[in-house]
Amino acid sequence: MKSNLKHISSLFALALIGCGGGGSSGGDSPTPSPVKTQLKAEQEIKAPEVIQSGKTSVLSYKVINPSVEQIKLGAIGQATSNTTVAIEGFETPVTDGVKLTYDLSLPQNTCFDDKGQGQALQAGEYCNIAFLAKLDEQVEHETDKHLTLSVKTSDNAEDLKINQSLKFVPQSDARLIDLSKSTKTSDYLKPGSTVSVNIHNDSPVPINALNIQLPDWLGEIALNRSSQQIDELPSGSDFRFTFELAIDQKTIDTLKAHQDDNIDIIIEAANAKDNHVVDLKVSTSILDSNDVTFQQPETQKITYTNTTDVNLNIGSVKLDDNIAGISIQENNCQASLAAHGSCHITLEAADNAHISDASKSARITLDYTTNQGLELSTQNDIAIDPVEVAIEKDVQAKQGQTFDINVTNNGPFSAYLPEMSHFSITQKDQNVAGLTIDPASNCFNAELATGHHAK
């Protein structure tokens, strides 16, 4: 059996046997001679209308040994018979530059077992044969490729020939499916969670050879993975890929190492646009919790929920040094947090709440451990709405005179004005000649309360 395979489209050609004609001058009718069985082929997975060059597609065919009536054909006599046909191999005499791979891992491949032994098909039975097809070269315009597959059979049947045409297109082709509009995922990678990628095919055509790829490091800690690929996703159907992350030191250390990385999960298909990349956030916490934003001097609550089946030991709570004017008003996250239980911390923002350095993180951190001694923490962002500072307009100035411009803080928090180098006087983005700022002005490096102004 030859095991190099190729792809084929919607046109199938069966080798037809011509029936001889003739007659007898008399006497008994001649004994009908047997006619070889004619196998049939149907597309089990229809080839996509277009395939992006460089992408792998799945082609699958149903090979059928039809059940027919016992009939006599012609005056000389030829008869059909329902016989068992052995599938003995296959060849790909024409590939037209397309790389075909026969892959026994494809669930459609039932014509041969894992040792290469072909099936024996009784009348009315069928088997499937499938291939992976790929055109490695990149095309600049629609390119047709024509393939031929020959299925070899036992002597009592005609070998089956299947012809198929495939259309390969560049990645800019408008007929390719946009997967970004139909993909939903979990928000976080975190210990003890189940991560899911859900794809709904809202296009009018099937998605061919859908495949989901994880980064190597993530694949090493992803447990109980469901199938990451499907040969064909019909229009209107859904595909869901899931995996689990354990609560163990390896998982925690791996996630910590990639906490600041872009976590790319790649989704591709033969008839889809460029790989759709899903970017997930990384958390080393097994708690569900919420970030907070202060829009005015007020209190905000952060709730921590233990979504696991294990009790947790609560440790310290701290605010980043970068946060000023915000304090912990209440903390009922003490000692331990039961499985599936919740606790909360209430924060209070004063009038002078602000972030000292906007380039640094502003977070609250809760440390905790599991009963097995695993050390974990959860961090939540703290945001403060920016203050509104207004500069007086339509100021009248005369040559040689000093004049004032009022800077007013309209709230909602105290404003911390910068040093003099951050102030400028411009017209159409150009410095105005003849105007200088007085270093003795009282608005440099100043705290300006809500409703107050400086000059």
Side-chain angles (χ1 to χ4, degrees):
M1 181 186 73
K2 298 183 180 179
S3 59
N4 58 324
L5 271 180
K6 297 289 174 171
H7 234 191
I8 309 176
S9 74
S10 57
L11 177 61
F12 297 90
L14 299 180
L16 300 179
I17 301 298
C19 297
S24 174
S25 58
D28 295 334
S29 298
T31 301
S33 59
V35 176
K36 287 189 176 183
T37 300
Q38 301 287 312
L39 298 185
K40 295 182 179 180
E42 296 177 359
Q43 288 195 81
E44 186 75 3
I45 294 179
K46 188 176 181 179
E49 176 190 2
V50 292
I51 302 171
Q52 185 180 162
S53 59
K55 296 291 183 69
T56 300
S57 60
V58 175
L59 302 177
S60 179
Y61 309 97
K62 181 184 289 186
V63 177
I64 307 168
N65 181 9
S67 178
V68 296
E69 297 180 0
Q70 299 287 340
I71 59 175
K72 184 184 293 185
L73 301 177
I76 293 178
Q78 291 181 321
T80 61
S81 60
N82 291 316
T83 60
T84 298
V85 176
I87 305 298
E88 297 186 345
F90 62 85
E91 293 180 349
T92 53
V94 180
T95 63
D96 205 5
V98 177
K99 179 182 178 182
L100 287 178
T101 303
Y102 179 77
D103 188 347
L104 267 175
S105 67
L106 293 173
Q108 291 81 13
N109 269 325
T110 60
C111 284
F112 303 94
D113 62 21
D114 56 2
K115 296 180 180 179
Q117 180 65 43
Q119 273 207 41
L121 299 180
Q122 297 182 15
E125 292 184 339
Y126 68 88
C127 64
N128 293 90
I129 188 167
F131 306 93
L132 300 176
K134 182 179 180 181
L135 181 65
D136 286 326
E137 65 183 85
Q138 297 296 319
V139 299
E140 297 181 357
H141 50 78
E142 181 179 306
T143 302
D144 290 338
K145 296 291 184 178
H146 304 283
L147 316 174
T148 299
L149 168 68
S150 177
V151 179
K152 300 300 181 180
T153 64
S154 50
D155 292 340
N156 61 334
E158 294 288 345
D159 290 345
L160 175 64
K161 286 188 178 180
I162 307 170
N163 296 315
Q164 177 135 34
S165 295
L166 300 176
K167 292 183 183 295
F168 292 92
V169 297
Q171 62 185 23
S172 59
D173 194 283
R175 291 168 291 182
L176 294 172
I177 299 170
D178 185 358
L179 294 177
S180 64
K181 299 178 181 179
S182 56
T183 303
K184 295 182 179 180
T185 66
S186 305
D187 293 328
Y188 284 93
L189 297 174
K190 63 181 185 178
S193 67
T194 297
V195 182
S196 64
V197 178
N198 300 282
I199 301 171
H200 175 74
N201 184 7
D202 54 7
S203 71
V205 298
I207 298 175
N208 184 275
L210 180 66
N211 183 38
I212 299 175
Q213 301 175 31
L214 301 180
D216 290 342
W217 66 265
L218 181 56
E220 292 179 358
I221 59 174
L223 305 177
N224 301 322
R225 280 188 268 182
S226 63
S227 176
Q228 294 177 226
Q229 60 188 29
I230 184 172
D231 302 323
E232 184 179 54
L233 183 62
S235 177
S237 298
D238 295 279
F239 177 70
R240 187 168 189 258
F241 164 60
T242 62
F243 61 90
E244 298 174 1
L245 295 174
I247 305 174
D248 57 27
Q249 199 63 56
K250 177 183 178 181
T251 301
I252 294 168
D253 291 344
T254 301
L255 291 176
K256 281 183 178 179
H258 295 276
Q259 196 158 11
D260 297 324
D261 297 348
N262 291 324
I263 312 304
D264 295 338
I265 294 180
I266 298 174
I267 305 172
E268 64 178 358
N271 54 339
K273 294 183 182 295
D274 279 349
N275 296 351
H276 175 56
V277 177
V278 177
D279 186 14
L280 297 179
K281 300 176 183 177
V282 173
S283 172
T284 56
S285 174
I286 60 178
L287 294 175
D288 280 347
S289 55
N290 58 283
D291 299 330
V292 292
T293 298
F294 290 98
Q295 299 176 324
Q296 60 187 4
E298 59 183 345
T299 60
Q300 291 273 6
K301 183 183 293 186
I302 299 176
T303 300
Y304 302 89
T305 301
N306 180 2
T307 59
T308 72
D309 296 325
V310 298
N311 296 336
L312 302 175
N313 305 309
I314 302 300
S316 62
V317 179
K318 61 180 180 180
L319 293 166
D320 284 354
D321 295 337
N322 197 33
I323 301 172
I326 295 178
S327 60
I328 297 175
Q329 184 192 65
E330 179 189 9
N331 176 14
N332 75 349
C333 296
Q334 303 291 334
S336 65
L337 182 58
H340 304 288
S342 296
C343 65
H344 69 267
I345 294 175
T346 300
L347 301 178
E348 182 176 20
D351 292 341
N352 64 342
H354 66 283
I355 307 300
S356 301
D357 186 346
S359 65
K360 297 180 180 179
S361 64
R363 296 171 178 166
I364 181 172
T365 302
L366 174 68
D367 295 325
Y368 57 96
T369 61
T370 67
N371 289 337
Q372 290 75 33
L374 296 175
E375 297 181 353
L376 297 155
S377 65
T378 183
Q379 295 181 321
N380 297 93
D381 291 330
I382 297 175
I384 301 173
D385 277 359
V387 297
E388 180 184 345
V389 175
I391 299 178
E392 184 179 2
K393 299 180 180 180
D394 301 325
V395 177
Q396 300 298 316
K398 293 183 180 179
Q399 182 71 25
Q401 292 184 346
T402 298
F403 60 95
D404 294 332
I405 299 176
N406 287 317
V407 178
T408 304
N409 178 14
N410 293 327
F413 297 99
S414 296
Y416 291 83
L417 302 179
E419 61 186 19
M420 179 177 163
S421 62
H422 291 273
F423 290 79
S424 61
I425 302 175
T426 60
Q427 185 176 42
K428 295 182 179 180
D429 297 326
Q430 300 293 324
N431 289 327
V432 180
L435 288 176
T436 59
I437 298 176
D438 184 355
S441 301
N442 67 353
C443 63
F444 306 135
N445 288 323
E447 178 182 349
L448 195 60
T450 300
H452 290 211
H453 65 266
K455 296 181 184 299

